[in-house]
Amino acid sequence: MTADAAMGAASIMGETPAASNGHKQLSPADRQLLLDSAITPEIIEASGAFTDPNGRGLWLRWSDGVTAATILRIPKHMRKPDGPKYIWPGGQTTYLDKIRDTGADKVLIVEGVGQHLAAASYAPPGWDVFGMWGCDGIHAKTDLSWAAGKDVWLSVDADRHTNGKVAGAVGRVSALLRDAGAESVRVTDLPDAAGAHTGMDDFLATVEPDGRTAALTDLIEKARDDDDVFLSRDDLDNLPAVEPLIEGLINRRSIVWISGRYGTYKTFLALAWACCIATGQPWEGRAVRLQGPVVYVAAEGQAGLKDRLRAWELTFNGGRKVDRIIPTKRGLDPRNPKHMAKLTRKIKKTGAVLVVFDTLHRCTPGMKEDSSTEQGVAFGAFQKLKDDTGCTVAVLAHTGYGGEHARGSSSQEDDSDDAYVIKRADNGLGPRTLIRTKSKEGKDGQRYALVLKNLDPFDKDGESPAYVTLADDAAGLLMAETKVEQIVRVMDEAGLPDETGREGAKRLLKDQGIKAGTDDIGKAVKIRKTREENDPPLAPD
C-alpha cells in the first residue's frame, strides 16, 4: 500500500490516517464488529484493518497485487441517510481486491468489502477469493488476464432476481469474464436471511462458525452457469412479477413504443405521462404506482416543451413547477456509446424511473429507418439502458404513410414490451385515437380518444400553451373501431392480398354479413395497397 493511496482515501473525510505502523491499532470494538460479520482473525490481519485515530471509522486495505489503497468504513451513526457504508479513494478507478490469491483454478468473486472478507474466511481449500467493489465492480478497464482458463463463481446480494440494476450488472460482469477466457461463470444464490440486501457476510453470520465452510461450499455447488439459457421450474417462480408504472398503461423495466404521424399529440401524451410519474398524480384516473424523476431526451427542441410543460403545471399541478422532469439540452443518439454512458450515469444518479426519447428520428440522424440491422443497434441500446438502470424506456416514433405502424423496420414494435399508435382523421380534425397495439404482459386493443385543450379557452387561434386529455364523451372507455379499420382488419384476417380491390372487398364483406359504404371500402382498399412493404397486417399474431 502506498502512502499516497492511503492519503487519497483519507482526504475524503478531511483527515489522514497515521502513517506510522506503530499507530495503526484496531480497537476492540472494531475487531468485534468484524468478527460479528463472520470474518476470522486471520483475514482481519490480512486485510490490514485499523481504527482511524480521529474516530472517523475503520480502515481496510484493498489491493490487486499491483495497486493498493485503503478503504474507509464509516460508522453507522456518521452516515447520511442512504449514504455509503464504505468510501473509495477519490480519483482512482475501482479494481479487484485479491485477498486470497494462490493461482488456483477456481475463483470466487464476491460483491462488497465485508462480504468478500467473510467469504475468504470460510472458502473451501483450493479456492481463491477476490473482492468486487459493488455489483458492477468489474468493467472494461479491469485487468482480467488472470481469468483465462479459470472457473469463476460470482456472489452478489440476494436481490439479484428482483433488482434490475443488479441483474444487469451480473450479466455484464459475466460477459466480461467469459470474453477474458474464463472456462465458466456461475452465480450463487444467497438465501434471503436478513432482507433484500442480504450479502455473504450476513448469510455466514447466521451460521455457526463450525458450519460456515460447509454452508459456503453448498452455495458454490448449487450455483449455475450464468451462460446457461435454460430455467428450472423454481427459476420461473423466482422471476419478478410485472409491476405497473401507470396502472393499465405502462410497466416498470419495459420498453414502450409510441407511434404517430405529425400532429397526433405524441409529445403531449408522453409529457403528460412523465408529469404524472414525476408528481405521483394519476393520469385520467389511472394510478401511478411508482413515483420518481423522469429524464426527457428533448431532440425535437426545448422551446415547445417548455410551453407544454407549463400548461400541464398550471392545469394539473396548481402552477407549481415539476422539478423532477429532467430535459436534455439536445438529442442523445442511442447508437453513440458516450451518449448512452452519460445518460446511464444521470439516471442512476437521479434515480429516474422513466426516460423518454422524443423522437427516434431526431435522436438517430442518418439512420436508415427501413434497415432492421441499424434499427437493431438502436433498440439494443434501449434494451441495455433498461437492463443497466431498471428504468422504463419510452420511444416516440413517426408512422409510415398509412399511419398504422411505426415508420421503418417492423422489428422495433415487435421487440418492444408495449406499443401504442395514435391516429387522426384524414382531415386532421377531431380527437386523436390512442390504440394499444401490443401488450406483452396484458390485453391490447384498448382505444382512447385524445383531445388537445388550450390553456386559454377563449383563444380562437389555438396559439396559447396546450395540454392533452381524454375526450369528454369518451371518459377513457373503450372506443369502437372505425368502419374503415374494421374493413382493413377483416380483409387481413381473411388473408386477402394487399392488392385486392373493391370488388374483392365487397364480396368478402357480403359473405360475412358486414355492411359498409362505398367510400369506406375504397379507403380501406387504398390503405392496404399503399402501406409500406414491411408494415405487418392488422390481423392478430
Side-chain angles (χ1 to χ4, degrees), residues 58-132:
L58 172 66
W59 293 90
L60 298 155
R61 183 169 60 246
W62 189 280
S63 173
D64 63 357
V66 177
T67 308
T70 46
I71 308 303
L72 180 61
R73 185 187 191 279
I74 305 173
K76 184 179 292 186
H77 70 276
M78 294 180 61
R79 292 178 214 153
K80 296 179 180 179
D82 299 322
K85 181 187 296 185
Y86 295 92
I87 292 184
W88 181 263
Q92 291 196 31
T93 302
T94 58
Y95 47 83
L96 296 172
D97 180 38
K98 299 182 179 180
I99 185 69
R100 184 166 154 179
D101 185 12
T102 65
D105 291 333
K106 299 177 180 179
V107 180
L108 175 62
I109 300 176
V110 184
E111 171 195 1
V113 180
Q115 293 96 312
H116 87 285
L117 295 179
S121 297
Y122 294 100
W127 286 75
D128 285 342
V129 179
F130 298 167
M132 180 170 64

Side-chain angles (χ1 to χ4, degrees), residues 111 156-162 189-193 195-199:
E111 171 195 1
V156 296
D157 286 352
D159 62 344
R160 79 177 185 95
H161 291 295
T162 56
D189 278 317
L190 286 170
D192 192 3
H197 296 290
T198 299

Side-chain angles (χ1 to χ4, degrees), residues 21-40:
N21 289 336
H23 292 138
K24 291 186 177 179
Q25 301 294 324
L26 184 62
S27 72
D30 283 340
R31 177 176 292 276
Q32 192 60 49
L33 183 148
L34 295 173
L35 291 171
D36 290 344
S37 297
I39 302 171
T40 60

